[in-house]
Amino acid sequence: MMRALYTAATGMKSEQVNVDTISNNLANVNTVGYKTQRTEFKSLLYQTIQTRTTSANGDEKPVSAQVGLGTRVAANTSMYTQGSLTASESDTDFAIEGDGFFAVRGLDGDVYYTRNGNFTWSLDANGNTFLATQDGYPVLDTQGNAIVVPEGINAQNMYFSKLGEVGYRDVDGNVTMLNQQFALYQFTNPNGLEKHSDSLLEATDASGAPMAETTTAGLVQSKVHQNYLEASNVSVADEMVNMIIAQRAYELNSKAIQTADSMLDTANNLRR
């Protein structure tokens, strides 16, 4: 019965993490580029009550008696499926169609990656206009530089192709291309990316090194859609169903603890 108490407790702790994950998915249902997460579980150690080769009578048995000791959270897996593209009136909103990630430079100087293309124009210390995230992180091109508006050009006249190439329009509407292009990267294992706030992701050994779409052979190049944003891929209906299932599992484990406690109480009150 003591085993039942601890086993059910592991189930309650794991389901609590599951509920936390589902709650985070629902909280980010309107976060641009957010990818829904799913909690994965794995069983804990098994205790061998009786081996396969012995019995109470000394006879050989082909089947052992093992009791599991509960469960634990193995991982929170992100589902990197394509979110729907929603139209936007802002010329600095971009959506990725494909497996690529935008590259931005953080305050610490390191490069981070994101699917959130809700950008804006910002000014640096020298008065140059550059493309940045809503938190002011510069969006990088394939050379690792910020995407800067040329001197004398209005930012509203900047042009971006579906391959992320950067240019500008003159007064007659003619496009002049610049030697800049959005840096789009893919990863062997996107689930290995380390998550940070502000919708930023950091490359790790588990994710593999970032692979530039423009220089890595075999990659399907993503498309960049201006005046669009990628909505989160969270399904509210699915998350509500998962919430109910997690709640019921939590209640069942709680009931197992109550049952084990009742049995212990009965055993303690036995009299000759």
CSV table of all heavy atoms in Angstrom, one decimal, residues 10-31:
chain,number,residue,atom,x,y,z
A,10,THR,N,3.5,10.0,-8.1
A,10,THR,CA,4.3,10.3,-9.3
A,10,THR,C,3.3,10.6,-10.5
A,10,THR,O,3.6,11.5,-11.3
A,10,THR,CB,5.2,9.2,-9.7
A,10,THR,OG1,4.4,8.0,-10.1
A,10,THR,CG2,6.1,8.8,-8.6
A,11,GLY,N,2.2,9.9,-10.5
A,11,GLY,CA,1.2,10.2,-11.5
A,11,GLY,C,0.6,11.6,-11.4
A,11,GLY,O,0.4,12.3,-12.4
A,12,MET,N,0.3,12.0,-10.2
A,12,MET,CA,-0.2,13.4,-9.9
A,12,MET,C,0.8,14.4,-10.3
A,12,MET,O,0.4,15.4,-11.0
A,12,MET,CB,-0.6,13.5,-8.5
A,12,MET,CG,-1.8,12.6,-8.1
A,12,MET,SD,-2.3,12.9,-6.3
A,12,MET,CE,-3.0,14.5,-6.4
A,13,LYS,N,2.0,14.2,-10.0
A,13,LYS,CA,3.1,15.2,-10.3
A,13,LYS,C,3.2,15.3,-11.9
A,13,LYS,O,3.3,16.4,-12.4
A,13,LYS,CB,4.4,14.8,-9.7
A,13,LYS,CG,4.4,15.0,-8.2
A,13,LYS,CD,5.7,14.4,-7.6
A,13,LYS,CE,6.9,15.1,-8.1
A,13,LYS,NZ,8.2,14.6,-7.5
A,14,SER,N,3.2,14.2,-12.5
A,14,SER,CA,3.3,14.2,-14.0
A,14,SER,C,2.1,14.9,-14.7
A,14,SER,O,2.3,15.6,-15.6
A,14,SER,CB,3.5,12.8,-14.5
A,14,SER,OG,4.7,12.2,-14.0
A,15,GLU,N,0.9,14.6,-14.2
A,15,GLU,CA,-0.2,15.2,-14.8
A,15,GLU,C,-0.3,16.7,-14.5
A,15,GLU,O,-0.9,17.4,-15.3
A,15,GLU,CB,-1.5,14.5,-14.3
A,15,GLU,CG,-1.7,13.0,-14.8
A,15,GLU,CD,-1.7,13.0,-16.3
A,15,GLU,OE1,-2.1,14.0,-17.0
A,15,GLU,OE2,-1.4,11.9,-16.9
A,16,GLN,N,0.3,17.1,-13.4
A,16,GLN,CA,0.3,18.5,-13.1
A,16,GLN,C,1.2,19.2,-14.2
A,16,GLN,O,0.8,20.3,-14.7
A,16,GLN,CB,0.9,18.8,-11.7
A,16,GLN,CG,1.0,20.3,-11.4
A,16,GLN,CD,-0.4,20.9,-11.4
A,16,GLN,OE1,-1.2,20.6,-10.6
A,16,GLN,NE2,-0.6,21.9,-12.2
A,17,VAL,N,2.3,18.6,-14.5
A,17,VAL,CA,3.1,19.2,-15.6
A,17,VAL,C,2.4,19.2,-16.9
A,17,VAL,O,2.5,20.1,-17.7
A,17,VAL,CB,4.5,18.4,-15.7
A,17,VAL,CG1,5.3,18.9,-16.9
A,17,VAL,CG2,5.3,18.5,-14.5
A,18,ASN,N,1.6,18.1,-17.2
A,18,ASN,CA,0.8,18.0,-18.4
A,18,ASN,C,-0.2,19.2,-18.4
A,18,ASN,O,-0.4,19.8,-19.5
A,18,ASN,CB,0.1,16.7,-18.4
A,18,ASN,CG,-0.5,16.4,-19.8
A,18,ASN,OD1,-0.2,17.0,-20.8
A,18,ASN,ND2,-1.5,15.5,-19.8
A,19,VAL,N,-0.9,19.4,-17.3
A,19,VAL,CA,-1.8,20.5,-17.3
A,19,VAL,C,-1.1,21.9,-17.5
A,19,VAL,O,-1.6,22.8,-18.2
A,19,VAL,CB,-2.6,20.5,-15.9
A,19,VAL,CG1,-3.5,21.8,-15.8
A,19,VAL,CG2,-3.5,19.3,-15.9
A,20,ASP,N,0.1,22.0,-16.9
A,20,ASP,CA,0.8,23.3,-17.1
A,20,ASP,C,1.2,23.5,-18.6
A,20,ASP,O,1.1,24.6,-19.1
A,20,ASP,CB,2.1,23.2,-16.3
A,20,ASP,CG,1.9,23.2,-14.8
A,20,ASP,OD1,0.7,23.6,-14.4
A,20,ASP,OD2,2.8,22.8,-14.0
A,21,THR,N,1.5,22.4,-19.2
A,21,THR,CA,1.9,22.5,-20.7
A,21,THR,C,0.7,22.9,-21.5
A,21,THR,O,0.8,23.8,-22.4
A,21,THR,CB,2.5,21.2,-21.2
A,21,THR,OG1,3.6,20.8,-20.4
A,21,THR,CG2,2.9,21.3,-22.6
A,22,ILE,N,-0.5,22.3,-21.2
A,22,ILE,CA,-1.7,22.6,-21.9
A,22,ILE,C,-2.1,24.0,-21.7
A,22,ILE,O,-2.5,24.7,-22.6
A,22,ILE,CB,-2.8,21.6,-21.5
A,22,ILE,CG1,-2.4,20.2,-22.0
A,22,ILE,CG2,-4.1,22.0,-22.2
A,22,ILE,CD1,-3.4,19.1,-21.4
A,23,SER,N,-2.0,24.5,-20.4
A,23,SER,CA,-2.3,25.9,-20.1
A,23,SER,C,-1.4,26.8,-20.9
A,23,SER,O,-1.9,27.9,-21.4
A,23,SER,CB,-2.2,26.1,-18.6
A,23,SER,OG,-3.0,25.2,-17.9
A,24,ASN,N,-0.1,26.5,-21.0
A,24,ASN,CA,0.8,27.4,-21.8
A,24,ASN,C,0.4,27.4,-23.2
A,24,ASN,O,0.5,28.5,-23.9
A,24,ASN,CB,2.2,26.9,-21.6
A,24,ASN,CG,3.2,27.8,-22.2
A,24,ASN,OD1,3.3,29.0,-21.9
A,24,ASN,ND2,4.0,27.3,-23.2
A,25,ASN,N,-0.1,26.3,-23.8
A,25,ASN,CA,-0.5,26.2,-25.2
A,25,ASN,C,-1.7,27.2,-25.4
A,25,ASN,O,-1.8,28.0,-26.3
A,25,ASN,CB,-0.9,24.8,-25.6
A,25,ASN,CG,0.3,23.9,-25.7
A,25,ASN,OD1,1.4,24.4,-26.0
A,25,ASN,ND2,0.1,22.6,-25.6
A,26,LEU,N,-2.7,27.1,-24.5
A,26,LEU,CA,-3.9,27.9,-24.6
A,26,LEU,C,-3.5,29.4,-24.4
A,26,LEU,O,-4.1,30.3,-25.0
A,26,LEU,CB,-4.9,27.5,-23.5
A,26,LEU,CG,-5.5,26.1,-23.8
A,26,LEU,CD1,-6.4,25.7,-22.6
A,26,LEU,CD2,-6.3,26.1,-25.1
A,27,ALA,N,-2.6,29.7,-23.5
A,27,ALA,CA,-2.2,31.1,-23.2
A,27,ALA,C,-1.5,31.7,-24.5
A,27,ALA,O,-1.6,32.9,-24.7
A,27,ALA,CB,-1.3,31.2,-22.0
A,28,ASN,N,-0.9,30.8,-25.3
A,28,ASN,CA,-0.2,31.3,-26.5
A,28,ASN,C,-1.0,31.1,-27.8
A,28,ASN,O,-0.4,31.1,-28.9
A,28,ASN,CB,1.2,30.7,-26.6
A,28,ASN,CG,2.2,31.2,-25.6
A,28,ASN,OD1,2.8,32.3,-25.8
A,28,ASN,ND2,2.3,30.5,-24.5
A,29,VAL,N,-2.3,30.9,-27.7
A,29,VAL,CA,-3.1,30.6,-28.9
A,29,VAL,C,-3.0,31.8,-29.9
A,29,VAL,O,-3.1,31.6,-31.1
A,29,VAL,CB,-4.5,30.3,-28.5
A,29,VAL,CG1,-5.2,31.5,-27.9
A,29,VAL,CG2,-5.3,29.8,-29.7
A,30,ASN,N,-2.7,33.0,-29.4
A,30,ASN,CA,-2.7,34.2,-30.3
A,30,ASN,C,-1.2,34.7,-30.5
A,30,ASN,O,-1.0,35.8,-31.0
A,30,ASN,CB,-3.6,35.3,-29.8
A,30,ASN,CG,-5.0,35.0,-30.0
A,30,ASN,OD1,-5.4,34.4,-31.0
A,30,ASN,ND2,-5.8,35.4,-29.0
A,31,THR,N,-0.2,33.9,-30.0
A,31,THR,CA,1.2,34.3,-30.2
A,31,THR,C,1.6,33.9,-31.6
A,31,THR,O,1.5,32.8,-32.0
A,31,THR,CB,2.0,33.6,-29.1
A,31,THR,OG1,1.6,34.0,-27.8
A,31,THR,CG2,3.5,34.0,-29.3
